[in-house]
Amino acid sequence: MSRTSRLPSSLLRAAACTGVAALALTACGSGSGSGSTSTGSGEVKVGLITKTDTNPFFVKMKEGAEKTAKAEGVKLMTAAGKFDGDNAGQVTAMENMVASGVKGILITPSDSKAIVPAIEKAKAKGVLVIALDTPTEPQSAVDALFATDNLKAGELIGEYAKAAMKGKTAKIAALDLAPGVSVGIQRHDGFLKGFGATDKDVACAQDTGGDQSKGQTAMENCLQKEPGINVVYTINEPAALGAYTALKAKGREKDVLIVSVDGGCTGTQAVKDGKIAATSQQYPLKMAAEGVKAVVTYAKDGKKASGYTDTGVTLVTDKAQDGVASKDTAYGLENCWG
Amino acid sequence: MTATSTPPSTSTPYAELKAPTAARRLLTQPTTGPLVALLLACVFFSVSTDQFLTGGNFSLIVQQVMVVGTLAIGQTLIILTAGIDLSCGAVMAFGSIVIAKMAAEGSLPPLAAIALGLAVCGGFGLLNGALVQKIPLPPFIVTLGMLNVAFALTHIYSEEQTVTSLPGPLTALGQTFPLGKTDITYGSLVTIALFLLLAYALSSTSWGRHVYALGNSPEAARLNGIRTSRLTIGVYTTAGVLYGIAALLLISRTGVGDPQAGQTDNLDSITAVVLGGTSLFGGRGSVLGTFIGVLIVGVFRNGLQLMGVASIYQTLITGVLVILAVTVDQISRRKAR
């Protein structure tokens, strides 16, 4: 390998990279409508850090934040981890936002515990930090929490499933999220509480990561293990649809009750189509909108939001059960996200 | 920590591999291009945002890249031997959980826990190297397997729990000291020192020249009397120990032991190596180039965030940069022929 042609190649490399710098400019011109390079120092900046860029739930959350930011005349900065659980990515985004002088940061923590030291650093610099959707551990690590009550979301579908079973002996499969993630644990526990069951009554529990294909695999394995399953609790609707596919392959889709949580538009449509019996709908857009407003209030008069704000959860089903409050899918589709 | 397995270099049979003088090297190194790119990016972001061009922000960028940077040193060594390591992030995550749990929940004194973590990571490197060299298996396959092994062990051993309330010495490297108006973390200094140390070892010791020779042609290296087997295993082990140091830096930076950490760090470290002008085909490149590569990624992420560009564009731009870098590498190789 001769070293003689290094210099021109170096220059070539530099030239290529200059092109990328230009690309950066274009990207910011076309991206997210917030790419103006004039960052007047008087402008209020709000940061939003989600778990990922791709999950429709967070896409909707971002949309809600953007809309409110525009209405309130503040600048929104967004960032996300590379994958669900990417704490280091969230920490980096947080530091960069603090460096750019944000007034407040809204974050859906990927890791409830691991993010806490970074949040404390941001708070020490006078930044208002609000957790959206997922609480930190301890919850008091942030100034405020705007979220769905996940335990209640689980309870609603538990109560529904109990009523819909009409006294039949239940064989339960639980398609969970992932070990150690608070959202999944709360929904799971809430379901059992609402159903009046305990973990001992669960015939089969599997992790799905909230993923449709993994939900399908999990359900296939559960049916293999325990063919008599007749109630399926799922962490979210993609997992529920995966379970439905597995049940349909066995011709069991009519006699197994699937309940879920989330209220995404695809999921709500699946409730309407009768694939899923009921789902607990939550409202990411509202979480983000309230979060942005809280930062604006803080910027205006220094008043910090505090405590827990329940952004609401509604049971959506077309087969209402006596004694369980619910709304139909027409309402659900009007208010769904994604 | 540098595997100073320096066989006596009585003669210099590798005349063409002889290290050029410092001044000549500066001009002819493949790092010149990445360096120019880095400077251009810095100029661009300095003009675009008010907050970029401050000491505090530069300190922040170095802090943010120190973990991947340290991994990337090990990755560079392995890629120079025409290998690749997909397991580095997972091995680091396992090391960090070992250190954190041993010190926080086990009864080991912090320093012993750190030593154990380094040893465990070094052990993974040794195992990688032995499988690559002794069986032999392709590095891609060995380290792909080891990625899964280390990932699983991390989750089994941690029981999926984040380890908190770490004793002080574990987070000491994350502490800062003031330099003028800027706060610098000790970990940043450790990372920079490691880069300089390995750069020296590669460019100015016979061990370093042997690594390049091995990457260019293992057969020629062997015929020239280099103990290629020992050298390969040594490189993988050194890399493993570096991942252990990265584990410590990770703990000190986040203040917790996080079983989810490092999942994309293997690819991030390869990205840094490629952006730094090191050839994926082995035998060409440098650790200092990797440092520049790491900084390019860090500067883009930080700068774009300061501009308010959404993070998905950072991924887009990093992807384009990598393809450009490899394209340039290929074109320059063809010209060199």
Side-chain angles (χ1 to χ4, degrees):
Chain A
M1 297 300 134
S2 94
R3 287 174 185 270
T4 47
S5 71
R6 286 291 153 74
L7 201 50
S9 91
S10 300
L11 290 176
L12 190 57
R13 207 184 281 270
C17 293
T18 321
V20 172
L23 181 79
L25 253 180
T26 333
C28 99
S30 64
S32 70
S34 57
S36 158
T37 48
S38 64
T39 44
S41 47
E43 191 178 21
V44 173
K45 286 189 210 162
V46 185
L48 172 69
I49 303 172
T50 49
K51 290 184 193 179
T52 65
D53 266 321
T54 45
N55 183 328
F57 185 84
F58 299 124
V59 172
K60 197 67 183 182
M61 190 178 262
K62 206 156 113 182
E63 207 180 292
E66 266 162 12
K67 232 183 236 170
T68 314
K70 212 170 191 184
E72 299 278 349
V74 296
K75 178 173 164 149
L76 182 75
M77 309 178 87
T78 61
K82 282 187 195 153
F83 55 92
D84 205 328
D86 180 13
N87 182 61
Q90 290 198 324
V91 170
T92 301
M94 202 155 193
E95 290 170 345
N96 288 340
M97 284 180 179
V98 172
S100 79
V102 290
K103 200 74 195 164
I105 291 176
L106 316 172
I107 182 165
T108 55
S110 263
D111 185 319
S112 300
K113 282 185 197 165
I115 194 71
V116 169
I119 289 175
E120 276 163 1
K121 269 190 213 160
K123 278 167 70 184
K125 296 214 165 142
V127 175
L128 177 74
V129 182
I130 298 173
L132 301 184
D133 177 58
T134 310
T136 49
E137 284 176 62
Q139 195 179 310
S140 57
V142 284
D143 291 299
L145 167 69
F146 294 174
T148 308
D149 182 344
N150 279 299
L151 193 74
K152 191 176 163 205
E155 265 182 75
L156 288 177
I157 52 172
E159 285 164 11
Y160 175 89
K162 183 81 191 167
M165 287 301 283
K166 298 190 170 49
K168 265 190 291 178
T169 315
K171 281 211 170 149
I172 302 170
L175 303 192
D176 294 318
L177 185 58
V181 183
S182 58
V183 174
I185 295 166
Q186 286 168 3
R187 290 181 188 175
H188 176 103
D189 291 351
F191 169 80
L192 291 178
K193 190 176 166 205
F195 199 86
T198 66
D199 267 317
K200 270 185 246 153
D201 302 316
V202 176
C204 179
Q206 295 256 301
D207 290 330
T208 66
D211 178 81
Q212 179 155 349
S213 68
K214 285 188 194 136
Q216 183 177 339
T217 309
M219 192 69 229
E220 285 161 358
N221 292 339
C222 278
L223 286 171
Q224 200 65 33
K225 182 183 174 205
E226 181 53 71
I229 281 166
N230 53 13
V231 177
V232 183
Y233 152 82
T234 58
I235 176 69
N236 66 2
E237 291 130 8
L241 286 169
Y244 177 82
T245 309
L247 287 165
K248 198 171 177 203
K250 294 251 175 195
R252 298 278 318 277
E253 77 273 19
K254 294 276 184 254
D255 56 299
V256 177
L257 185 81
I258 305 177
V259 290
S260 191
V261 179
D262 247 8
C265 292
T266 312
T268 310
Q269 183 63 42
V271 174
K272 192 179 178 191
D273 297 342
K275 294 177 179 170
I276 304 171
T279 194
S280 283
Q281 186 168 56
Q282 47 175 350
Y283 304 98
L285 207 141
K286 194 174 168 195
M287 294 172 197
E290 307 244 316
V292 172
K293 280 183 199 157
V295 177
V296 173
T297 307
Y298 174 56
K300 269 188 195 148
D301 43 21
K303 221 183 275 168
K304 282 189 174 176
S306 64
Y308 166 58
T309 305
D310 186 353
T311 50
V313 57
T314 311
L315 186 69
V316 173
T317 180
D318 282 339
K319 296 173 209 151
Q321 299 293 330
D322 288 340
V324 186
S326 64
K327 302 243 185 199
D328 63 10
T329 52
Y331 172 89
L333 285 170
E334 219 164 89
N335 293 284
C336 67
W337 49 266
Chain B
M1 173 193 42
T2 56
T4 43
S5 60
T6 34
S9 57
T10 44
S11 63
T12 46
Y14 336 107
E16 62 172 49
L17 294 165
K18 223 163 80 181
T21 65
R24 232 195 108 198
R25 190 181 307 131
L26 192 71
L27 270 178
T28 56
Q29 276 281 321
T31 48
T32 311
L35 187 60
V36 172
L38 176 63
L39 293 176
L40 285 175
C42 287
V43 170
F44 172 73
F45 288 121
S46 303
V47 174
S48 311
T49 71
D50 304 338
Q51 304 94 354
F52 183 80
L53 195 62
T54 63
N57 195 48
F58 281 119
S59 167
L60 190 60
I61 292 171
V62 177
Q63 273 174 55
Q64 289 174 345
V65 301
M66 68 187 186
V67 173
V68 169
T70 305
L71 290 178
I73 300 174
Q75 188 72 261
T76 309
L77 294 178
I78 289 174
I79 288 180
L80 281 176
T81 69
I84 195 146
D85 191 348
L86 300 178
S87 70
C88 61
V91 169
M92 172 191 70
F94 186 56
S96 72
I97 288 295
V98 168
I99 296 173
K101 274 198 86 152
M102 281 296 166
E105 294 166 18
S107 40
L108 279 188
L111 286 179
I114 292 169
L116 181 66
L118 296 191
V120 165
C121 291
F124 269 100
L126 180 69
L127 197 54
N128 274 334
L131 291 169
V132 164
Q133 185 59 44
K134 295 290 183 191
I135 296 197
L137 297 171
F140 188 94
I141 301 300
V142 169
T143 58
L144 181 63
M146 207 58 80
L147 157 68
N148 288 298
V149 170
F151 178 84
L153 287 179
T154 304
H155 286 253
I156 293 165
Y157 182 53
S158 69
E159 295 168 330
E160 315 285 352
Q161 294 297 310
T162 302
V163 187
T164 52
S165 4
L166 303 177
L170 293 195
T171 51
L173 292 177
Q175 304 302 313
T176 57
F177 66 92
L179 185 79
K181 283 182 188 167
T182 305
D183 289 330
I184 313 275
T185 58
Y186 294 103
S188 303
L189 295 187
V190 169
T191 306
I192 291 169
L194 287 173
F195 268 107
L196 293 176
L197 188 65
L198 268 299
Y200 171 80
L202 275 178
S203 64
S204 307
T205 68
S206 56
W207 175 79
R209 262 170 274 159
H210 292 170
V211 170
Y212 281 99
L214 179 65
N216 273 316
S217 169
E219 188 59 15
R222 196 182 61 78
L223 292 175
N224 270 308
I226 296 175
R227 296 153 89 174
T228 51
S229 172
R230 217 174 97 174
L231 183 62
T232 306
I233 295 175
V235 163
Y236 278 87
T237 309
T238 306
V241 174
L242 284 162
Y243 306 155
I245 298 171
L248 181 61
L249 290 170
L250 175 75
I251 295 174
S252 74
R253 175 164 158 69
T254 57
V256 294
D258 172 13
Q260 306 271 8
Q263 285 186 28
T264 60
D265 285 2
N266 51 355
L267 299 180
D268 290 350
S269 70
I270 295 169
T271 301
V273 172
V274 169
L275 287 181
T278 293
S279 170
L280 276 177
F281 310 101
R284 251 171 56 135
S286 71
V287 158
L288 287 182
T290 298
F291 187 53
I292 295 167
V294 166
L295 284 178
I296 288 176
V297 176
V299 161
F300 266 94
R301 188 180 301 152
N302 172 272
L304 291 174
Q305 190 70 66
L306 293 182
M307 287 173 72
V309 177
S311 50
I312 197 73
Y313 288 97
Q314 300 165 22
T315 310
L316 175 76
I317 286 167
T318 312
V320 172
L321 277 173
V322 167
I323 293 170
L324 282 177
V326 180
T327 307
V328 171
D329 181 42
Q330 280 295 331
I331 291 173
S332 69
R333 273 175 166 255
R334 215 171 300 153
K335 275 192 186 156
R337 226 172 270 152

